[in-house]
Amino acid sequence: MTTLGAVFRPQLPPERLRSVARAADEAGLEELWIWEDCFREGGISSAAMALAWTTQLRLGIGLMPVPFRNVALSAMELATLARVFPGRVRPAVGHGVQDWMAQVGARPASPMTCLREHLSALQALLAGERVTTSGRYVHLDDVALDWPPAQPPALITGATGDRTLRLSGELAAGTILTGGTTPDGVRRARGIVDEGRALAGRSDHHEVVVYLVAAAGPDSAERLERECRRWEFPAGADVTVGGDAESVANGVRRWAEAGADTVVLQPTEDEPDLEGFVRFAGEQVRPLLG
């Protein structure tokens, strides 16, 4: 069954998060995703607050830029959340926007090496292992968490390029595909992820999460058109869904049929009522998906 979520966009001030998270929780929406975009809300702090304000909602952090973070600190923070809110934390890591990484003096010469080292060490630490490693970017000397989670959260990797998709298939439990990914793009990405899984000899399930730009209501077509221009999506690209609940549900099914396990509705920048949007997703769209 397809998992449905929504995005709390970081262009909104952090004080809006409480009402949006509670609206999503009350509406029965399965997941709310937050972005750790520079220089807006922090991913871990936002997730901690939203988890504390809700009872069932899962919180996705999509994503934490690995050059921005020491891997031991990431492990400590995620382990804390996973112990206090077991099964409700959905962390994702990735390269981050390289211009932002340069602004803080953290742009790596080899983003792929940085991501591989960070992801491998983070998985081991969350699994309760004692880690010593001296890589190009990750250096740990006899490090282990005092409070590893009983159920380590599955780590997801954000990926767009082919090399990162293969790395995600090789090492991660899942892959996030960015908004602007067409159904055909999902199929292609899953195929490349599977190449990495085959190289690593993996046969476990690999989750694919996709952000899907969405709008509801009578003005949804106009807002989606403006959003496509903001993101500079190709004209006529099959990258959005909008309208009433049935139309949005039909769109979600198309991305699911293409290979997405989780579809996260990404509201437009000019969404006038985000609390209403997440209620619409949870109360009207979710029941139509079975």
Side-chain angles (χ1 to χ4, degrees):
M1 184 174 70
T2 307
T3 298
L4 187 67
V7 175
F8 177 88
R9 292 180 58 144
Q11 288 82 4
L12 294 171
E15 55 267 28
R16 285 286 304 280
L17 179 57
R18 181 174 184 170
S19 62
V20 174
R22 285 188 165 179
D25 198 37
E26 292 165 1
L29 191 63
E30 291 150 291
E31 297 184 353
L32 185 69
W33 285 75
I34 52 181
W35 297 346
E36 190 169 71
D37 280 2
C38 296
F39 297 95
R40 297 177 171 126
E41 292 96 339
I44 295 292
S45 55
S46 295
M49 291 185 295
L51 288 163
W53 289 327
T54 57
T55 58
Q56 302 296 323
L57 189 69
R58 295 191 295 270
L59 260 294
I61 309 171
L63 50 79
M64 296 180 290
V66 298
F68 204 47
R69 292 178 155 272
N70 182 283
V71 68
L73 180 59
S74 294
M76 291 162 58
E77 292 180 323
L78 290 174
T80 300
L81 291 181
R83 287 182 68 99
V84 177
F85 304 102
R88 295 179 58 202
V89 184
R90 301 265 281 144
V93 298
H95 298 302
V97 176
Q98 295 305 294
D99 287 347
W100 291 340
M101 298 302 100
Q103 281 184 271
V104 298
R107 182 169 185 164
S110 176
M112 290 298 298
T113 302
C114 183
L115 180 58
R116 176 181 288 277
E117 291 180 359
H118 192 107
L119 182 59
S120 298
L122 184 57
Q123 287 178 320
L125 289 170
L126 290 173
E129 298 177 21
R130 185 169 296 276
V131 181
T132 296
T133 184
S134 183
R136 186 173 178 182
Y137 298 100
V138 174
H139 304 274
L140 298 173
D141 182 10
D142 195 33
V143 175
L145 297 177
D146 281 7
W147 298 105
Q151 298 175 328
L155 292 177
I156 304 172
T157 300
T160 54
D162 290 3
R163 293 174 64 202
T164 310
L165 287 166
R166 289 191 188 93
L167 177 64
S168 183
E170 178 187 346
L171 294 180
T175 300
I176 294 180
L177 305 178
T178 187
T181 303
T182 66
D184 284 343
V186 173
R187 294 184 184 93
R188 180 181 181 278
R190 187 172 273 285
I192 297 170
V193 165
D194 285 344
E195 292 174 8
R197 285 162 47 75
L199 288 172
R202 298 186 63 170
S203 59
D204 53 331
H205 178 69
H206 186 97
E207 181 184 7
V208 170
V209 179
V210 63
Y211 295 136
L212 176 57
V213 178
D219 64 342
S220 59
E222 292 81 4
R223 289 196 288 116
L224 289 171
E225 184 178 348
R226 288 195 295 270
E227 193 73 4
C228 286
R229 289 198 297 268
R230 287 190 190 98
W231 288 97
E232 299 182 347
F233 295 147
D238 185 12
V239 294
T240 66
V241 293
D244 61 13
E246 187 62 49
S247 297
V248 173
N250 286 337
V252 170
R253 291 189 195 99
R254 292 180 52 238
W255 268 261
E257 289 165 359
D261 301 286
T262 297
V263 177
V264 183
L265 301 179
Q266 177 180 315
T268 61
E269 186 176 304
D270 58 3
E271 169 58 54
D273 178 12
L274 188 54
E275 290 85 354
F277 180 82
V278 299
R279 289 192 184 96
F280 165 80
E283 295 173 354
Q284 299 184 46
V285 179
R286 171 69 268 175
L288 298 176
L289 298 176

